[in-house]
Amino acid sequence: MNLPELAAFLKSRRDRIRPVDVGLSAGPRRRVPGLRREEVAQLAGLSADYYTELERGRGAQPSEQTLAALARALRLGGDERDHLFHLADRPLPPVAHGPTAHVQPALLGLLDRLTTTPAQVITDLHETLVQNELAAALVGRHPAVRGPAASLVHRWFTDPAARAIYPPDEHPHHSRVFVADLQAVAARRGRDSEVARMVTALRRRSAEFAALWDTHDVALRRADHKRIVHPALGVIELDCHSLFSEDGRQRLLWFTAPPGTEGAAQLELLSVIGTQDMGAQESSRN
């Protein structure tokens, strides 16, 4: 690992970002051209001391998850992200999947601007890559897991706790929608081993999934009206919208409610209480 070069690269990327680019206030007393170290640490979910050590060319080798978080916080392009991983002597992550996947800059830029509504970026296999604080407060923080369990579709059919986010009488609807969406993803990806492994595993573990898969219903989940069960606010009725990346492998989701509705009032309350009482939420919620 090249600690001095890693430190210099991190500082150079931090210096070029304006606070407004990541939804922060510039403030009247800012003395640095870009972000402060503690701001990068906050955006990446790291301790300020740990990030400072990295920028000083000291400390332990950062994990792949840490590097992915830094790439997102510093809004690195694809080549820059690869360079960061090379400097840290870590293998390059997959382009679009898993917790270390690189969020496409266009979607990340839009997410930064969605400060008053819950929003998150997921993969086409429903793996949450990054979410704003309102999304974490609404649906829970995405689980820090790898492999099949990172996918909400996989958890939906293998872990009953994953279904707590929706009212029980709506579970059949969401099951149908998840499977039809996965059918569309499988068709678009063609002979993709990742999708094939997931389908094989779910057919083996879930009779419900197998029966729905055999209907051959196909429909990407572009928009939906959802009733989300929140541990503090009860059932919140929202509209969920999706914006797809150019290659279709990532999606920006955001949740809205018409002005004057109970859902809109609950979203306003959610922005006040934030994540302070969210400890009861299951990490599998999405």
Side-chain angles (χ1 to χ4, degrees):
M1 180 174 69
N2 192 330
L3 277 173
E5 284 296 323
L6 177 64
F9 183 64
L10 288 173
K11 184 179 185 305
S12 71
R13 300 305 89 181
R14 174 170 64 85
D15 287 345
R16 71 174 184 173
I17 299 178
R18 300 176 304 166
V20 69
D21 293 336
V22 293
L24 298 175
S25 172
R29 298 182 179 178
R30 185 171 292 272
R31 297 179 180 178
V32 294
L35 297 179
R36 300 185 179 101
R37 286 172 176 167
E38 58 268 25
E39 290 171 336
V40 174
Q42 179 184 358
L43 290 169
L46 307 173
S47 74
D49 288 342
Y50 176 75
Y51 180 74
T52 297
E53 287 295 293
L54 283 180
E55 265 207 22
R56 289 176 176 170
R58 300 196 292 264
Q61 181 185 31
S63 68
E64 294 170 38
Q65 288 84 352
T66 295
L67 293 171
L70 285 171
R72 294 167 190 162
L74 295 169
R75 301 328 189 232
L76 301 187
D79 292 335
E80 293 173 319
R81 184 279 315 262
D82 291 352
H83 184 61
L84 177 68
F85 274 74
H86 284 310
L87 291 175
D89 196 24
R90 292 290 190 184
L92 295 182
V95 174
H97 297 289
T100 60
H102 186 55
V103 182
Q104 299 202 12
L107 297 185
L108 194 56
L110 287 173
L111 179 67
D112 288 337
R113 287 159 175 76
L114 293 173
T115 58
T116 61
T117 190
Q120 57 191 21
V121 178
I122 68 172
T123 71
D124 56 356
L125 296 184
H126 294 260
E127 302 155 316
T128 302
L129 300 178
V130 63
Q131 56 188 172
N132 64 19
E133 286 301 308
L134 277 176
L138 177 66
V139 300
R141 295 199 182 278
H142 60 87
V145 296
R146 307 184 72 172
S151 165
L152 177 59
V153 175
H154 185 276
R155 297 196 305 277
W156 182 263
F157 290 101
T158 60
D159 179 7
R163 301 194 174 201
I165 188 173
Y166 298 125
D169 62 320
E170 297 181 4
H171 291 177
H173 162 75
H174 290 290
S175 293
R176 290 192 300 271
V177 171
F178 276 134
V179 175
D181 185 86
L182 186 59
Q183 283 274 16
V185 170
R188 192 195 69 247
R189 287 217 207 170
R191 299 179 180 227
D192 185 281
S193 59
E194 185 177 22
V195 176
R197 286 194 301 270
M198 176 177 287
V199 171
T200 299
L202 288 178
R203 286 181 66 90
R204 184 175 64 250
R205 296 185 60 178
S206 170
E208 179 190 21
F209 176 88
L212 289 171
W213 188 260
D214 289 340
T215 67
H216 300 286
D217 289 341
V218 181
L220 284 173
R221 194 172 197 170
R222 293 186 171 89
D224 205 352
H225 184 76
K226 296 187 176 184
R227 298 173 67 234
I228 295 176
V229 179
H230 188 274
L233 301 178
V235 177
I236 307 176
E237 289 200 37
L238 299 170
D239 295 315
C240 179
H241 311 274
S242 299
L243 177 66
F244 290 70
S245 62
E246 187 174 351
D247 63 4
R249 292 203 169 200
Q250 293 183 9
R251 309 171 185 181
L252 172 65
L253 306 183
W254 70 99
F255 301 85
T256 62
T261 64
E262 183 179 1
Q266 288 170 303
L267 279 185
E268 287 188 18
L269 183 56
L270 186 69
S271 69
V272 174
I273 65 175
T275 58
Q276 62 187 15
D277 296 321
M278 298 302 102
Q281 291 195 61
E282 295 292 339
S283 63
S284 60
R285 287 163 58 90
N286 191 346

